């Protein structure tokens, strides 16, 4: 038998074995590639690092942030990790010989010792047709599968997100910008027409500032489009600064149509700035709406009602004030001036009643601040309802609290000891330092003139206030006279020890300052202080 004569079974097995061996070699190559390319010497996976930029909305506006990412290198390469899904083999053979031999036709696959069945089994030998023969064939068809690159897919997702984030913000900005351009054109054109026809909005000379406001917004949109994000905060600040220059508009001379266009212009601009700089305050110009003024008054009233210490009956009276304001706003909306006047009368009557209720026990700093807020809000809302109207002030005439009243008494008493110390430093029947004692007496006279009214929580009467001012002038003149005598009479100064004088003088000045501050405005009318003396050496 020729060496080329091979059992047919061996020929078929060799073909299948070649397929399996091919997959085995591919697997070995994959393992080697993974070992060399995928891991460091210490066994950790080799990283692939990259960075990309994404746009994020922050309180300071759209910010470009550099994002650093790291993925295993093996997730981005394509190792030959193949698997054979299907293989089909066909070949052409020359049958060389055939025979039948007796032998076991079947043996247990499990090797359990089950007796083999006797039977005939064919034995075939053949050879592959020589390749020069046109009919010689050996065909192996196979289907291979390669695993997916999950890391590479994730990388694409990250980079796509970086682009889509910026696009989403840009489309939002662009949508708001289109609405702003429409509102700006309508408002500025109306202002220009009004100025040319002389119907009197009173803003013709400010037309250039309106153009500058418009350009601040449109320039900010262009800066975002061009990626010049650092310019946006500066343009936003320019808008806010320019708005503060446009507070000249008078609600009583601005037609309602023009006011509506102005409010639409500001609202559209605010939408653009909020898209570019989320959370940043956006200034406006012109008077607040009547609804805004009413809400401000409501907030101020609630704060006063909650301010300590409380006063019996005050919350109910404050609700009456609030109700009058609310009805006045409704009447104004429906153009009923007579009803507005009637609600103002009711407001004034309630305010006058509240004014009589105050006492020093509820005149603390917190209460006074809350009263001031309500009074300011009331003035603005009633001026909006009836031009030039100043409602009755519900606050107390005198705003000295019981604590301040007691402090004033204590500070007056505190003048006694340093005054006596100053006088005793120079023992003489004609002691020029007696002026300190006399000045203290004049302060007592002023307090006697004022405290009766203050104890009742009322304003110091004009005739008594005149007496207080006279006593204050006399007090200052006495201190000036004492200072002059000490400084111009060496014999007096030489007998005064500075170490004893200075502490007494400073204590006197402190007590005097604390006392007079409760009665007069010492910032515009300063107190004369006892001066230091120079050392005789």
């Amino acid at each position: 038998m020729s060496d080329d004569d091979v059992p047919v079974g061996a020929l078929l097995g060799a073909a299948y074995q070649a397929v399996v061996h091919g997959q085995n070699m591919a697997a070995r190559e994959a393992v080697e590639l993974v070992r060399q390319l995928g891991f460091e010497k210490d066994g950790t996976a080799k990283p692939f690092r990259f960075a990309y930029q994404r746009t994020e909305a922050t309180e300071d506006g759209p910010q470009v942030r550099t994002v650093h990412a790291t993925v295993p290198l093996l997730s981005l390469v394509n190792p030959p990790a193949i698997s054979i899904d299907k293989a089909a083999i066909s070949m052409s053979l020359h049958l060389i010989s055939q025979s039948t031999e007796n032998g076991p036709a079947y043996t247990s696959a499990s090797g359990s010792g089950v007796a083999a069945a006797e039977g005939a089994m064919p034995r075939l030998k053949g050879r592959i047709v020589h390749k020069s023969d046109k009919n010689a064939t050996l065909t192996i068809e196979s289907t291979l599968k390669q695993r997916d690159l999950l890391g590479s897919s994730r990388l694409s997702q990250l980079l796509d997100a970086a682009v889509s984030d910026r696009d989403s913000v840009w489309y939002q900005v662009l949508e708001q910008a289109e609405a702003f351009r429409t509102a700006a054109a309508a408002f500025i054109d109306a202002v220009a027409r009004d100025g040319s026809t002389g119907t009197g909005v009173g803003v013709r000379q400010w037309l250039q500032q309106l153009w500058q406001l418009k350009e601040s917004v449109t320039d900010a949109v262009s800066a975002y489009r061009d990626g010049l994000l650092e310019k946006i905060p500066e343009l936003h600040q320019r808008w806010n600064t320019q708005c503060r220059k446009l507070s000249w508009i008078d609600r009583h001379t601005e037609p309602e149509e023009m006011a509506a266009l102005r409010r639409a212009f500001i609202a559209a601009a605010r939408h653009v700035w909020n898209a570019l700089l989320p959370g940043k305050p956006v200034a406006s110009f012109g008077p607040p709406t009547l609804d805004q003024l009413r809400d401000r008054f409501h907030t101020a009233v609630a704060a006063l009602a909650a301010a300590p210490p409380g006063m019996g009956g005050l919350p109910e009276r404050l609700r009456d004030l609030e109700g009058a304001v609310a009805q006045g706003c409704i009447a104004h909306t429906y153009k009923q001036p007579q009803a507005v006047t009637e609600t103002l009368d009711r407001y004034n009557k309630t305010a006058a009643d509240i004014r009589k209720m105050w006492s020093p026990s509820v005149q603390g700093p917190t209460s006074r601040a809350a009263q001031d807020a309500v009074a300011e809000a009331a003035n603005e809302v009633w001026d909006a309802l009836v031009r030039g109207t100043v409602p009755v002030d519900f606050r107390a005439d005198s705003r000295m609290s019981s604590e301040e009243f007691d402090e004033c008494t204590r500070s007056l008493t505190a003048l006694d000891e340093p005054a006596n110390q100053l006088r005793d430093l120079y023992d003489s029947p004609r002691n020029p330092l007696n002026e300190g004692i006399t000045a203290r007496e004049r302060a007592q006279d002023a307090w006697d003139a004022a405290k009766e009214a203050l104890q009742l929580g009322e304003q110091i009467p004009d005739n008594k206030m005149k007496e207080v001012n006279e006593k204050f002038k006399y007090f200052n003149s006495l201190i000036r006279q004492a200072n002059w005598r000490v400084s111009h009479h060496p014999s007096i100064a030489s007998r005064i020890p500075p170490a004893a004088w200075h502490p007494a003088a400073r204590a006197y000045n402190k007590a005097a300052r604390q006392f007079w501050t409760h009665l007069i405005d010492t910032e515009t009318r300063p107190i004369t202080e006892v001066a230091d003396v120079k050392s005789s050496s």
Side-chain angles (χ1 to χ4, degrees):
M1 181 180 67
S2 171
D3 292 338
D4 293 335
D5 299 337
V6 182
V8 172
L11 289 171
L12 292 173
Y16 284 109
Q17 184 180 13
V19 173
V20 174
H21 184 64
Q23 180 169 339
N24 178 51
M25 289 190 296
R28 290 178 180 274
E29 287 295 326
V31 170
E32 188 63 23
L33 183 144
V34 168
R35 181 182 296 113
Q36 294 181 2
L37 185 64
F39 295 92
E40 305 285 3
K41 292 182 179 180
D42 61 358
T44 58
K46 288 184 178 180
F48 177 77
R49 299 181 178 89
F50 63 97
Y52 63 94
Q53 291 183 330
R54 61 177 295 162
T55 303
E56 297 179 346
T58 69
E59 291 184 356
D60 297 324
Q63 300 290 325
V64 176
R65 184 169 71 91
T66 300
V67 180
H68 297 271
T70 301
V71 296
L73 183 59
L74 284 177
S75 67
L76 302 178
V77 298
N78 190 8
I82 61 174
S83 61
I84 297 177
D85 186 57
K86 179 182 178 182
I89 301 175
S90 63
M91 61 179 70
S92 296
L93 299 175
H94 275 306
L95 189 61
I96 303 302
S97 65
Q98 62 180 357
S99 63
T100 303
E101 299 179 358
N102 290 327
Y106 173 77
T107 58
S108 173
S110 64
S112 59
V114 178
E118 293 291 334
M121 184 175 183
R123 299 292 185 183
L124 300 177
K125 290 185 179 181
R127 68 166 64 115
I128 298 176
V129 176
H130 194 275
K131 63 182 180 179
S132 62
D133 191 326
K134 64 180 181 178
N135 294 322
T137 59
L138 173 59
T139 304
I140 302 176
E141 297 180 354
S142 60
T143 302
L144 306 180
K145 283 188 174 181
Q146 174 67 38
R147 67 180 179 87
D148 295 332
L149 298 179
L150 298 179
S152 178
S153 175
R154 178 57 179 155
L155 173 62
S156 298
Q157 293 175 6
L158 290 172
L159 298 178
D160 289 344
V163 175
S164 62
D165 286 345
R166 176 176 173 81
D167 286 347
S168 63
V169 177
W170 166 243
Y171 288 128
Q172 180 184 1
V173 171
L174 188 61
E175 180 181 2
Q176 302 298 345
E178 290 300 326
F180 171 76
R181 290 190 183 95
T182 301
F187 178 48
I188 294 176
D189 288 350
V191 172
R193 289 195 303 272
D194 180 83
S196 62
T197 57
T199 54
V201 175
V203 296
R204 181 65 180 89
Q205 66 272 33
W206 304 105
L207 190 59
Q208 183 61 38
Q209 277 98 331
L210 296 181
W211 272 102
Q212 292 175 1
L213 284 176
K214 174 180 177 293
E215 291 303 311
S216 296
V217 177
T218 55
D219 288 350
V221 173
S222 299
Y224 185 84
R225 178 198 61 200
D226 299 336
L228 304 175
L229 304 184
E230 67 278 2
K231 291 186 176 181
I232 296 177
E234 178 183 350
L235 293 167
H236 170 257
Q237 182 58 43
R238 184 192 301 174
W239 166 277
N240 286 346
T241 301
Q242 195 67 31
C243 282
R244 285 191 286 270
K245 297 179 180 179
L246 296 176
S247 59
W248 34 261
I249 298 176
D250 184 350
R251 70 170 64 251
H252 300 290
T253 60
E254 183 184 31
E256 181 56 35
E257 180 182 358
M258 189 69 72
L261 291 173
R262 172 176 55 81
R263 289 192 290 266
F265 172 77
I266 295 171
R270 182 175 288 111
H271 291 324
V272 176
W273 289 122
N274 288 339
L276 293 172
L277 299 171
K280 288 293 185 180
V282 180
S284 59
F285 59 93
T289 65
L290 194 58
D291 288 340
Q292 291 172 330
L293 292 175
R294 183 178 57 190
D295 291 342
R296 177 186 172 189
F297 182 80
H298 172 77
T299 302
V301 166
L304 176 57
M311 184 171 67
L314 179 61
E316 293 78 10
R317 292 293 188 175
L318 292 176
R319 283 196 292 271
D320 291 340
L321 290 183
E322 193 172 1
V325 168
Q327 290 189 10
C329 292
I330 295 173
H332 182 272
T333 301
Y334 287 97
K335 303 185 185 306
Q336 297 175 345
Q338 182 62 34
V340 173
T341 302
E342 292 174 357
T343 57
L344 174 59
D345 292 340
R346 191 169 78 250
Y347 177 96
N348 287 338
K349 183 179 183 303
T350 304
D353 292 340
I354 295 176
R355 190 183 185 95
K356 300 174 183 177
M357 296 170 59
W358 297 111
S359 65
S361 62
V362 292
Q363 289 300 317
T366 303
S367 176
R368 287 199 294 263
Q371 291 175 45
D372 293 341
V374 174
E376 183 179 355
N379 289 339
E380 290 196 16
V381 72
W382 283 112
D383 177 71
L385 293 172
V386 182
R387 185 178 187 180
T389 296
V390 178
V392 170
D393 193 346
F394 68 93
R395 294 172 293 181
D397 294 326
S398 171
R399 311 192 73 187
M400 180 177 287
S401 68
S402 57
E403 292 81 4
E404 291 170 325
F405 186 91
D406 294 340
E407 174 60 27
C408 193
T409 302
R410 286 193 298 270
S411 61
L412 181 60
T413 304
L415 282 172
D416 288 336
E417 183 177 354
N420 292 329
Q421 290 176 347
L422 292 173
R423 180 192 61 188
D424 295 344
L425 287 174
Y426 183 75
D427 186 13
S428 172
R430 300 186 62 185
N431 192 336
L433 304 181
N434 283 327
E435 276 82 353
I437 300 296
T438 306
R440 189 266 181 222
E441 295 172 353
R442 300 294 77 77
Q444 179 68 58
D445 294 341
W447 181 235
D448 291 339
K451 66 181 180 180
E452 182 178 357
L454 295 175
Q455 283 176 321
L456 298 175
E458 299 176 354
Q459 189 175 13
I460 301 174
D462 292 341
N463 61 330
K464 296 296 183 181
M465 196 64 207
K466 181 179 180 181
E467 185 177 348
V468 169
N469 290 329
E470 291 175 352
K471 302 302 181 184
F472 176 69
K473 293 178 182 178
Y474 193 16
F475 178 93
N476 280 346
S477 67
L478 289 169
I479 300 302
R480 285 195 296 269
Q481 186 176 359
N483 290 336
W484 184 87
R485 289 187 179 184
V486 171
S487 62
H488 288 77
H489 291 77
S491 61
I492 297 177
S494 63
R495 298 175 61 179
I496 298 176
W501 173 275
H502 293 166
R506 290 165 187 164
Y508 188 93
N509 292 335
K510 179 180 179 182
R513 184 166 53 252
Q514 291 175 339
F515 169 75
W516 286 111
T517 300
H518 292 300
L519 300 182
I520 63 173
D521 183 2
T522 55
E523 292 186 1
T524 58
R525 305 175 63 188
I527 302 170
T528 302
E529 296 185 343
V530 177
D532 290 344
V533 296
K534 297 181 180 179
S535 175
S536 58
S537 60

